[in-house]
């Protein structure tokens, strides 16, 4: 099992090219099932989760050809199976997103109940209820969601909560449904918008994406497309937290600043000097960060996927930060590991009280989930001495070549092969 060895204390200087967004690429990959024509996707990040999704698609019969690094051509013109097996789905929750496209195009799907990070309950009941509203017949048996439909029929869907995955599921399903579907209480995340834009490029009729009310007029068929995945706002935010913790001056290239409003606001409040262009961000930090308080919320609020990284920055801030996690009930597993590095953090239910310290100390720590891994990297980069981060397979699910990108801007970081 690979580990990261980091010797902290180096300010970050230089440029980093940000990869495509994992959370956009995964549903976009699943959407290729909706057409028998070729779909070319660009800016696809080289991540474990992406590779797993592609294995799921290949299992179904989708042909996959890498035309260049981060450019993949997929075609679902010879689907041979409607089943996504447990062996592939168990590692990644997003695999459930093949359910709707299979059902919409072929009228049949059998998908294992998913796995993923152990950060809290993320049940698929909303997916099932929404698809049933679209006239699907669904059973859960022997660990599988088994679905059938003659043809999905448009309807009004209002989920009990804002669900990103559910909104993406219904967008894809309704694109080929008969009639009009209205999604109320829809997720507004940039990754949802990116999926909608791909579907529109494939011939779907969608309006209102980016708001909490999306209207989809079903069409008889979708065609191929050539589409570029949006930049990863979470990866970009992670690197900005890193320069905030270590000091320095970095420029991020191929980013989408318009997707990062809440994160950029809080980092500016913490003392980063940030300049923004159309597809770049420059961040400078020459002083100790200031304490800021955050509450995670659905977009356009502060993203839960940036909570752990912001906490790592807050451990070194001047003053006390209050961090409230409103999305997932088990997303503070990084706290004991940050404390091992010398952080002063107290938990009270969904609230973390972070008293900033002047210096963190290197130690052996263990990653518990994807974003927790990133928080430990940030803290280790700023800590005095050597830190060894174990179980970094979590990190590889969401960050492409992170150690190489950080090494290029001055970090003392290397991967240790077990």
């Amino acid at each position: 099992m690979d580990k990261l060895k980091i010797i902290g204390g180096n300010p970050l200087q230089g440029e980093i090219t940000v990869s495509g967004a994992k959370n956009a690429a995964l549903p976009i990959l699943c959407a290729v099932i909706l057409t028998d024509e070729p779909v070319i996707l660009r800016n696809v990040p080289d991540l474990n989760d992406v590779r797993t999704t592609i294995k799921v698609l290949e299992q179904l019969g989708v042909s996959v050809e890498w035309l260049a690094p981060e450019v993949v051509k997929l075609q679902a013109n010879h689907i041979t199976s409607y089943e996504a097996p447990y062996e592939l789905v168990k590692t990644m929750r997003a695999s459930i997103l093949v359910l709707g496209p299979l059902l919409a195009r072929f009228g049949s799907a059998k998908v294992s109940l998913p796995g993923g990070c152990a950060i809290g309950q993320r049940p698929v009941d909303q997916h099932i209820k929404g698809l049933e509203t679209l006239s699907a017949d669904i059973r859960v048996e022997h660990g599988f969601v088994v679905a059938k439909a003659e043809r999905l029929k448009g309807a009004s869907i209002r989920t009990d909560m804002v669900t990103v995955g559910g909104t993406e599921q219904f967008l894809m399903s309704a694109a080929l449904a008969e009639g009009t579907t209205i999604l109320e209480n829809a997720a507004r995340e940039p990754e949802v918008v990116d999926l909608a834009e791909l579907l529109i490029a494939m011939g779907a009729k969608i309006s209102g994406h980016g708001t909490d009310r999306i209207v989809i007029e079903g069409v008889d068929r979708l065609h191929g497309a050539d589409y570029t995945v949006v930049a990863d706002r979470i990866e970009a935010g992670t690197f900005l937290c890193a320069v905030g913790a270590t000091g320095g001056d970095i420029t991020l290239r191929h980013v989408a600043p318009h997707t990062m409003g809440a994160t950029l606001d809080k980092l500016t409040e913490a003392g980063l000097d940030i300049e923004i262009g159309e597809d770049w961000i420059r961040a400078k930090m020459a002083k100790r960060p200031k304490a800021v308080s955050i509450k995670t919320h659905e977009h356009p609020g502060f993203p839960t996927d940036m909570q752990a990284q912001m906490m790592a920055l807050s451990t070194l801030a001047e003053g006390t930060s209050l961090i409230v996690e409103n999305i997932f009930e088990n997303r503070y597993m990084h706290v004991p590991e940050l404390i091992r590095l010398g952080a002063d953090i107290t938990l009270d239910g969904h609230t973390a009280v972070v008293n900033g310290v002047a210096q963190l100390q290197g130690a052996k720590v263990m990653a518990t989930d994807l974003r927790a891994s990133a928080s430990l990297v940030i803290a280790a980069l700023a800590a005095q001495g050597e830190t060894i981060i174990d179980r970094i397979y979590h990190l590889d699910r969401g960050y492409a070549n992170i150690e190489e990108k950080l090494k290029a801007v001055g970090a003392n970081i290397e991967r240790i092969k077990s």
Side-chain angles (χ1 to χ4, degrees):
M1 194 176 295
D2 290 1
K3 303 176 183 179
L4 282 181
K5 182 173 83 170
I6 299 173
I7 299 174
N10 292 352
L12 303 182
Q13 305 278 349
E15 294 190 358
I16 297 176
T17 298
V18 172
S19 299
K22 173 185 89 89
N23 289 341
L26 301 185
I28 281 173
L29 284 165
C30 295
V32 305
I33 296 169
L34 292 166
T35 179
D36 63 356
E37 295 185 13
V39 177
I40 295 174
L41 300 177
R42 304 177 188 276
N43 204 31
V44 178
D46 182 16
L47 300 169
N48 284 352
D49 277 9
V50 167
R51 290 191 285 271
T52 299
T53 301
I54 286 175
K55 286 179 183 176
V56 172
L57 294 176
E58 288 178 324
Q59 171 82 19
L60 299 174
V62 177
S63 67
V64 179
E65 179 186 1
W66 289 94
L67 304 180
E70 301 185 341
V71 182
V72 61
K73 177 183 176 183
L74 306 103
Q75 189 165 7
N77 58 335
H78 292 298
I79 294 296
T80 56
S81 171
Y82 304 137
E83 179 176 334
Y86 171 74
E87 289 71 27
L88 292 174
V89 176
K90 67 180 179 180
T91 63
M92 191 187 61
R93 178 175 175 75
S95 302
I96 194 69
L97 293 177
V98 301
L99 178 64
L102 284 171
L103 191 59
R105 184 167 162 217
F106 300 104
S108 183
K110 183 179 180 182
V111 180
S112 174
L113 291 168
C117 283
I119 58 175
Q121 292 298 314
R122 299 191 286 183
V124 299
D125 64 311
Q126 299 299 305
H127 295 241
I128 293 171
K129 286 170 61 177
L131 291 172
E132 286 176 334
T133 303
L134 296 176
S135 300
D137 176 22
I138 298 181
R139 305 185 314 278
V140 178
E141 54 187 28
H142 306 296
F144 281 85
V145 180
V146 181
K148 293 193 177 298
E150 286 294 323
R151 183 181 179 186
L152 296 178
K153 293 180 169 40
S156 180
I157 300 174
R158 182 178 180 85
T159 52
D160 297 337
M161 65 197 75
V162 177
T163 161
V164 172
T167 301
E168 292 165 342
Q169 189 84 269
F170 308 143
L171 271 173
M172 292 186 284
S173 305
L176 289 178
E178 181 182 349
T180 300
T181 298
I182 299 173
L183 305 183
E184 304 277 7
N185 202 28
R188 295 184 281 174
E189 271 68 8
E191 295 78 19
V192 172
V193 174
D194 209 37
L195 173 62
E197 289 296 331
L198 165 74
L199 293 171
I200 290 168
M202 294 169 65
K205 296 181 179 178
I206 300 171
S207 61
H209 46 300
T211 76
D212 61 3
R213 185 177 189 272
I214 304 176
V215 179
I216 308 108
E217 296 178 37
V219 297
D220 291 334
R221 66 181 303 274
L222 296 176
H223 53 70
D226 188 325
Y227 192 78
T228 301
V229 176
V230 71
D232 195 324
R233 62 192 173 109
I234 306 302
E235 181 185 346
T238 299
F239 290 133
L240 293 177
C241 284
V243 76
T246 64
D249 182 348
I250 65 170
T251 298
L252 304 181
R253 301 290 183 188
H254 294 179
V255 294
H258 68 279
T259 67
M260 299 177 62
T263 298
L264 294 176
D265 287 348
K266 285 298 178 182
L267 287 170
T268 299
E269 189 180 335
L272 272 76
D273 179 7
I274 295 176
E275 298 176 58
I276 297 172
E278 185 176 345
D279 62 353
W280 58 268
I281 299 172
R282 183 179 181 185
K284 293 182 283 187
M285 193 68 166
K287 54 186 180 293
R288 185 178 178 186
K290 302 173 187 173
V292 297
S293 294
I294 62 170
K295 294 181 179 180
T296 64
H297 206 274
E298 294 88 357
H299 193 79
F302 191 88
T304 181
D305 278 356
M306 280 301 303
Q307 177 257 106
Q309 301 92 308
M310 200 71 188
M311 184 182 290
L313 176 59
S314 298
T315 64
L316 292 161
E318 185 176 356
T320 299
S321 303
L322 294 180
I323 297 176
V324 181
E325 175 56 59
N326 290 313
I327 307 298
F328 294 121
E329 72 276 8
N330 198 25
R331 203 160 202 177
Y332 283 139
M333 291 188 290
H334 47 283
V335 169
E337 304 305 304
L338 289 173
I339 290 172
R340 286 181 56 78
L341 294 168
D344 180 356
I345 306 170
T346 303
L347 291 180
D348 181 10
H350 292 283
T351 301
V353 181
V354 185
N355 296 306
V357 298
Q359 182 69 62
L360 296 174
Q361 304 291 327
K364 291 183 178 180
V365 293
M366 181 177 68
T368 53
D369 62 70
L370 171 53
R371 304 308 172 184
S373 308
S375 76
L376 297 179
V377 170
I378 292 165
L381 290 171
Q384 183 180 53
E386 180 183 281
T387 298
I388 303 292
I389 304 175
D390 202 354
R391 296 177 67 184
I392 61 166
Y393 60 86
H394 289 293
L395 195 70
D396 293 334
R397 290 185 51 228
Y399 293 89
N401 306 313
I402 189 170
E403 70 270 22
E404 298 302 323
K405 290 178 179 180
L406 287 169
K407 194 179 296 183
V409 293
N412 189 336
I413 178 173
E414 65 175 308
R415 182 176 292 250
I416 304 171
K417 298 287 185 180
S418 298

